[in-house]
Amino acid sequence: MIDWPTALGALAAGLLVALVTTPVGVSGAVFLLPVQLDLLGIPSPAVTPTNLLFNVVATPGALLRHHRTGGLRSPLVPQLLVGTVPGVVVGAVVRVLAAPGVEVFRVLAAALLLPLGLWLVVRRPVAEDRRGPAPRRTTVTLLGLGVGVIGGVYGLGGGSLLGPILVGMGLPIAVVAPAALASTFVTSLAGVATYGVLSLVSDGPVAPVWSVGLLCGLGGVVGGYVGARLQHRLPEAGLRVMLGLLAVGLAMAYVVQVATA
């Protein structure tokens, strides 16, 4: 059992993170990682499946909204899932057997998100009739595989990485957001199941902290649904800049955490 301050903190954190990140196709688990590690005291590697559990609970609200608007009918959804689902299983096995430190994740995430976020902020928006060709199916699947492995290791459903990368490749954010969230949900479900199996044959805190993950996720359900409703009321240029700023902010936070560790 957890105390009331921790329970309310987990609920509020999930709500606020999902509210801010859902409009740009990000589940928010990547932002919950430092909260769970430093404020809620979730041990490693249990923080990884706990983050994945947040995705499982939090994303259906936003997915329901995208389903009603037809956003989940894009062929981008199955192209991503073919790669992310096996990737998260591989990542979970690597996490439990090799147990990489969280500082390694922060360095790698900062190295990826900082330049990508800056590029998204400063680049000029591409007109609809001047967009480049859509990336090939093989490219999308391989990208999903790589992101799935990272998600399995560090507890990310993948939307935090897939969103900026796919937008940076020229895809419209209205297409990327629902596809990234769908990938996040299914991949996280597979990841939680994988960690559950691994906890039966591994020592140490491998299983998710169910109470924290569920409470964060319940907050995320409300925040995610409201955030999805706000998406279509905002211009794509504004969403693109917001996505870039989120990536830059997260990268800088990780740099500071690593430097002060």
Side-chain angles (χ1 to χ4, degrees):
M1 297 292 293
I2 60 175
D3 54 31
W4 278 106
T6 302
L8 292 176
L11 189 67
L15 189 152
L16 292 175
V17 167
L19 178 64
V20 173
T21 58
T22 297
V24 290
V26 179
S27 75
V30 65
F31 289 88
L32 282 176
L33 180 65
V35 174
Q36 292 183 358
L37 281 174
D38 301 328
L39 298 181
L40 301 180
I42 306 301
S44 181
V47 68
T48 298
T50 302
N51 260 350
L52 294 173
L53 180 60
F54 161 79
N55 288 332
V56 171
V57 179
T59 52
L63 288 175
L64 176 61
R65 176 64 181 175
H66 287 308
H67 172 71
R68 290 177 176 175
T69 60
L72 298 180
R73 297 171 186 166
S74 168
L76 185 62
V77 176
Q79 291 173 15
L80 288 174
L81 291 177
V82 169
T84 57
V85 172
V88 75
V89 175
V90 173
V93 174
V94 171
R95 178 70 163 112
V96 172
L97 297 182
V102 68
E103 285 77 14
V104 177
F105 159 69
R106 288 169 176 161
V107 170
L108 293 176
L112 172 65
L113 291 175
L114 181 58
L116 188 56
L118 289 172
W119 180 52
L120 288 171
V121 170
V122 302
R123 80 183 183 97
R124 298 179 64 181
V126 180
E128 190 69 30
D129 58 354
R130 297 180 58 190
R131 290 188 185 276
R136 294 184 177 182
R137 178 179 300 180
T138 303
T139 301
V140 173
T141 299
L142 290 176
L143 172 63
L145 178 63
V147 169
V149 172
I150 295 173
V153 172
Y154 299 112
L156 313 177
S160 302
L161 300 178
L162 287 171
I165 292 174
L166 292 172
V167 171
M169 295 171 69
L171 291 175
I173 201 167
V175 174
V176 170
L181 281 175
S183 174
T184 291
F185 174 74
V186 178
T187 302
S188 298
L189 189 62
V192 170
T194 302
Y195 274 97
V197 173
L198 290 172
S199 69
L200 300 177
V201 296
S202 304
D203 297 327
V206 175
V209 179
W210 294 95
S211 57
V212 172
L214 290 173
L215 285 169
C216 287
L218 288 175
V221 169
V222 178
Y225 187 80
V226 174
R229 289 183 65 90
L230 293 175
Q231 179 192 10
H232 297 286
R233 300 183 181 182
L234 299 173
E236 179 170 333
L239 291 175
R240 175 179 50 80
V241 171
M242 181 181 176
L243 183 58
L245 290 176
L246 287 173
V248 171
L250 178 61
M252 296 304 297
Y254 283 158
V255 169
V256 171
Q257 289 174 343
V258 171
T260 57

